[in-house]
Coordinates of all heavy atoms in Angstrom, one line a residue:
T1 N 0.8 -1.2 0.0 CA 0.0 0.0 0.0 C 0.9 1.2 0.0 O 2.0 1.2 0.4 CB -0.9 0.1 1.2 OG1 -0.1 0.0 2.4 CG2 -2.0 -1.0 1.2
I2 N 0.3 2.3 -0.5 CA 1.0 3.6 -0.5 C 0.1 4.5 0.3 O -1.1 4.7 0.0 CB 1.1 4.1 -1.9 CG1 2.0 3.2 -2.7 CG2 1.7 5.5 -1.9 CD1 1.9 3.3 -4.2
V3 N 0.6 5.0 1.4 CA -0.2 5.9 2.3 C 0.3 7.3 2.1 O 1.5 7.6 2.2 CB 0.1 5.4 3.8 CG1 -0.7 6.3 4.8 CG2 -0.2 4.0 4.0
V4 N -0.7 8.2 1.9 CA -0.4 9.6 1.8 C -0.2 10.1 3.2 O -0.9 9.8 4.1 CB -1.6 10.4 1.1 CG1 -1.3 11.9 1.1 CG2 -1.9 9.9 -0.3
I5 N 0.9 10.9 3.3 CA 1.2 11.5 4.6 C 0.8 12.9 4.5 O 1.3 13.7 3.7 CB 2.7 11.4 5.0 CG1 3.1 9.9 5.1 CG2 3.0 12.1 6.3 CD1 4.6 9.7 5.3
K6 N -0.2 13.3 5.3 CA -0.7 14.7 5.2 C 0.3 15.7 5.7 O 1.3 15.3 6.4 CB -2.0 14.8 6.1 CG -3.2 14.0 5.6 CD -4.3 14.3 6.6 CE -5.5 13.5 6.2 NZ -6.7 13.7 7.1
R7 N 0.2 16.9 5.4 CA 1.1 17.9 5.8 C 1.3 18.0 7.4 O 2.3 18.4 7.9 CB 0.8 19.3 5.2 CG 1.0 19.2 3.7 CD 0.8 20.5 3.1 NE 1.1 20.4 1.6 CZ 0.7 21.2 0.7 NH1 0.0 22.2 1.0 NH2 0.9 20.9 -0.5
N8 N 0.2 17.7 8.1 CA 0.3 17.7 9.6 C 0.9 16.4 10.1 O 1.0 16.3 11.3 CB -1.1 18.0 10.2 CG -2.0 16.8 10.0 OD1 -1.7 15.8 9.4 ND2 -3.3 17.1 10.3
G9 N 1.4 15.5 9.2 CA 2.1 14.3 9.7 C 1.2 13.1 9.9 O 1.7 12.0 10.1
T10 N -0.1 13.3 9.8 CA -1.0 12.1 10.0 C -1.2 11.4 8.7 O -1.0 11.9 7.6 CB -2.4 12.6 10.6 OG1 -3.0 13.5 9.6 CG2 -2.2 13.3 11.9
D11 N -1.7 10.2 8.8 CA -2.0 9.4 7.6 C -3.2 9.9 6.9 O -4.2 10.2 7.5 CB -2.2 7.9 7.9 CG -0.9 7.2 8.4 OD1 0.2 7.9 8.3 OD2 -0.9 6.0 8.7
G12 N -3.1 9.9 5.5 CA -4.3 10.3 4.7 C -4.8 9.1 3.9 O -4.9 7.9 4.4
I13 N -5.1 9.3 2.7 CA -5.7 8.3 1.8 C -4.7 7.1 1.6 O -3.5 7.3 1.6 CB -6.0 8.9 0.4 CG1 -7.0 10.0 0.6 CG2 -6.5 7.8 -0.5 CD1 -7.3 10.8 -0.7
V14 N -5.2 5.9 1.6 CA -4.4 4.7 1.4 C -4.7 4.2 0.0 O -5.8 3.9 -0.4 CB -4.7 3.7 2.4 CG1 -3.9 2.4 2.2 CG2 -4.3 4.2 3.8
F15 N -3.6 4.0 -0.8 CA -3.8 3.4 -2.2 C -3.3 2.0 -2.2 O -2.1 1.8 -1.9 CB -3.0 4.2 -3.2 CG -3.5 5.6 -3.4 CD1 -2.9 6.7 -2.7 CD2 -4.5 5.9 -4.3 CE1 -3.3 8.0 -2.9 CE2 -4.9 7.2 -4.5 CZ -4.3 8.2 -3.8
P16 N -4.1 1.0 -2.4 CA -3.6 -0.4 -2.5 C -2.8 -0.5 -3.8 O -3.2 0.0 -4.9 CB -4.9 -1.2 -2.6 CG -5.9 -0.3 -3.0 CD -5.5 1.1 -2.6
L17 N -1.7 -1.2 -3.7 CA -0.8 -1.4 -4.9 C -1.2 -2.8 -5.4 O -0.7 -3.8 -4.9 CB 0.6 -1.4 -4.5 CG 1.7 -1.4 -5.6 CD1 1.5 -0.3 -6.6 CD2 3.1 -1.2 -4.9
T18 N -2.1 -2.8 -6.4 CA -2.6 -4.1 -6.9 C -2.1 -4.5 -8.3 O -2.4 -5.6 -8.8 CB -4.1 -4.1 -7.0 OG1 -4.6 -3.0 -7.7 CG2 -4.7 -4.0 -5.6
S19 N -1.4 -3.6 -9.0 CA -0.7 -3.9 -10.2 C 0.8 -3.9 -10.1 O 1.3 -3.4 -9.0 CB -1.2 -3.0 -11.4 OG -0.7 -1.7 -11.2
T20 N 1.5 -4.3 -11.1 CA 2.9 -4.4 -11.0 C 3.6 -3.1 -11.2 O 4.9 -3.0 -11.3 CB 3.5 -5.5 -11.9 OG1 3.1 -5.2 -13.2 CG2 3.0 -6.8 -11.5
S21 N 2.9 -2.0 -11.4 CA 3.5 -0.7 -11.6 C 2.5 0.4 -11.1 O 1.3 0.3 -11.2 CB 3.7 -0.5 -13.1 OG 4.3 0.8 -13.4
C22 N 3.1 1.4 -10.5 CA 2.3 2.6 -10.0 C 3.1 3.9 -10.4 O 4.2 4.1 -9.9 CB 2.2 2.5 -8.5 SG 1.2 3.9 -7.8
L23 N 2.5 4.7 -11.2 CA 3.1 5.9 -11.7 C 2.6 7.1 -11.0 O 1.4 7.3 -10.8 CB 2.8 6.0 -13.2 CG 3.4 7.2 -14.0 CD1 5.0 7.1 -14.0 CD2 2.9 7.2 -15.4
F24 N 3.5 7.9 -10.5 CA 3.2 9.2 -9.9 C 3.6 10.3 -10.8 O 4.6 10.3 -11.5 CB 4.2 9.4 -8.6 CG 4.0 8.4 -7.5 CD1 4.4 7.1 -7.6 CD2 3.4 8.8 -6.3 CE1 4.3 6.2 -6.6 CE2 3.2 7.9 -5.3 CZ 3.7 6.6 -5.4
G25 N 2.7 11.3 -10.9 CA 3.0 12.5 -11.7 C 1.8 13.4 -11.9 O 0.8 13.3 -11.2
R26 N 2.0 14.3 -12.9 CA 0.9 15.3 -13.2 C 0.0 14.9 -14.3 O -1.1 15.4 -14.4 CB 1.6 16.6 -13.5 CG 0.8 17.8 -13.3 CD 1.5 19.1 -13.5 NE 2.0 19.3 -14.9 CZ 3.2 19.6 -15.2 NH1 4.1 19.8 -14.3 NH2 3.6 19.7 -16.5
K27 N 0.4 13.9 -15.1 CA -0.5 13.5 -16.3 C -1.7 12.8 -15.7 O -1.7 12.2 -14.7 CB 0.3 12.5 -17.2 CG 1.3 13.1 -18.1 CD 2.0 12.2 -19.0 CE 1.6 10.8 -19.2 NZ 2.4 10.1 -20.2
T28 N -2.8 12.9 -16.5 CA -4.1 12.3 -16.2 C -3.9 10.8 -16.1 O -4.7 10.1 -15.5 CB -5.2 12.7 -17.1 OG1 -4.8 12.4 -18.4 CG2 -5.5 14.2 -16.9
E29 N -3.0 10.2 -16.9 CA -2.8 8.7 -16.9 C -2.1 8.2 -15.7 O -2.0 7.0 -15.6 CB -2.0 8.3 -18.2 CG -2.7 8.6 -19.5 CD -2.5 10.1 -19.9 OE1 -1.6 10.8 -19.4 OE2 -3.3 10.5 -20.8
C30 N -1.6 9.0 -14.8 CA -0.8 8.6 -13.7 C -1.7 7.9 -12.7 O -2.9 8.3 -12.5 CB -0.1 9.7 -13.0 SG 1.3 10.4 -14.0
D31 N -1.2 6.9 -12.0 CA -2.0 6.2 -11.0 C -2.2 7.1 -9.8 O -3.3 7.1 -9.2 CB -1.3 4.9 -10.6 CG -1.1 4.0 -11.7 OD1 -2.1 3.5 -12.3 OD2 0.1 3.7 -12.1
I32 N -1.2 7.8 -9.4 CA -1.3 8.8 -8.3 C -1.0 10.2 -8.9 O 0.2 10.4 -9.3 CB -0.4 8.5 -7.1 CG1 -0.9 7.1 -6.5 CG2 -0.5 9.6 -6.0 CD1 -0.1 6.6 -5.3
R33 N -2.0 11.0 -9.0 CA -1.8 12.3 -9.8 C -1.7 13.4 -8.8 O -2.5 13.5 -7.8 CB -3.0 12.5 -10.7 CG -2.9 13.7 -11.5 CD -4.0 13.7 -12.5 NE -3.9 14.9 -13.4 CZ -4.9 15.6 -13.8 NH1 -6.1 15.2 -13.5 NH2 -4.7 16.7 -14.5
M34 N -0.7 14.3 -9.0 CA -0.5 15.5 -8.2 C -0.6 16.7 -9.2 O 0.2 16.8 -10.1 CB 0.8 15.4 -7.5 CG 0.8 14.3 -6.5 SD 2.5 14.0 -5.9 CE 3.1 13.0 -7.2
R35 N -1.5 17.6 -8.9 CA -1.6 18.7 -9.8 C -0.8 20.0 -9.3 O -1.4 21.0 -9.1 CB -3.1 19.1 -9.8 CG -3.9 18.0 -10.4 CD -5.4 18.5 -10.6 NE -6.2 17.3 -10.5 CZ -7.5 17.4 -10.6 NH1 -8.1 18.6 -10.7 NH2 -8.3 16.3 -10.5
L36 N 0.4 19.8 -9.1 CA 1.3 20.9 -8.8 C 2.2 21.2 -10.0 O 2.7 20.2 -10.6 CB 2.2 20.5 -7.6 CG 1.5 20.2 -6.3 CD1 2.5 19.6 -5.3 CD2 0.9 21.5 -5.7
P37 N 2.4 22.4 -10.3 CA 3.2 22.7 -11.5 C 4.7 22.2 -11.4 O 5.3 22.0 -12.5 CB 3.2 24.3 -11.6 CG 2.7 24.7 -10.2 CD 2.0 23.6 -9.6
W38 N 5.2 22.0 -10.3 CA 6.6 21.6 -10.1 C 6.7 20.1 -10.3 O 7.9 19.6 -10.4 CB 7.2 22.0 -8.8 CG 7.0 23.5 -8.6 CD1 7.7 24.5 -9.1 CD2 5.9 24.1 -7.8 NE1 7.2 25.7 -8.7 CE2 6.1 25.5 -7.9 CE3 4.9 23.6 -7.0 CZ2 5.2 26.4 -7.2 CZ3 4.0 24.5 -6.4 CH2 4.2 25.8 -6.5
V39 N 5.6 19.3 -10.2 CA 5.7 17.9 -10.4 C 5.8 17.6 -11.9 O 5.0 18.1 -12.7 CB 4.4 17.2 -9.8 CG1 4.3 15.8 -10.1 CG2 4.3 17.5 -8.3
S40 N 6.7 16.7 -12.2 CA 6.8 16.3 -13.6 C 5.6 15.5 -14.1 O 4.9 14.9 -13.3 CB 8.1 15.4 -13.8 OG 9.2 16.1 -13.4
N41 N 5.4 15.5 -15.4 CA 4.3 14.7 -16.0 C 4.4 13.3 -15.5 O 3.4 12.7 -15.2 CB 4.3 14.8 -17.5 CG 3.7 16.1 -18.0 OD1 2.9 16.7 -17.4 ND2 4.2 16.5 -19.2
E42 N 5.5 12.7 -15.5 CA 5.8 11.4 -15.0 C 7.0 11.5 -14.0 O 8.1 11.6 -14.5 CB 6.1 10.4 -16.1 CG 4.9 10.1 -17.0 CD 5.2 9.0 -18.0 OE1 6.4 8.6 -18.2 OE2 4.3 8.7 -18.7
H43 N 6.7 11.6 -12.7 CA 7.7 12.0 -11.8 C 8.5 10.8 -11.2 O 9.8 10.8 -11.2 CB 7.1 12.7 -10.6 CG 8.0 13.6 -9.9 ND1 8.1 15.0 -10.2 CD2 8.9 13.4 -8.9 CE1 9.0 15.5 -9.5 NE2 9.5 14.6 -8.7
C44 N 7.9 9.7 -10.9 CA 8.5 8.5 -10.4 C 7.5 7.4 -10.5 O 6.4 7.6 -10.8 CB 9.0 8.6 -9.0 SG 7.8 8.7 -7.7

């Protein structure tokens, strides 16, 4: 699982990792999408 850590340090949303790949980034195709201008389209 991937647990979002909120800015106050508490646990947020939990994403189950059920496929063999999880893409983080700004693109709409990303599994975990972050809409910040400094985040790359495909970040990690």
Side-chain angles (χ1 to χ4, degrees):
T1 55
I2 299 160
V3 181
V4 175
I5 301 173
K6 295 180 182 181
R7 291 186 180 160
N8 66 6
T10 61
D11 288 358
I13 299 170
V14 176
F15 295 96
L17 189 55
T18 56
S19 70
T20 57
S21 181
C22 179
L23 182 61
F24 295 74
R26 203 172 64 230
K27 282 183 10 181
T28 55
E29 296 83 14
C30 290
D31 301 297
I32 298 180
R33 187 171 178 217
M34 292 168 281
R35 297 184 209 180
L36 297 172
W38 308 281
V39 174
S40 299
N41 283 331
E42 293 183 354
H43 206 93
C44 68

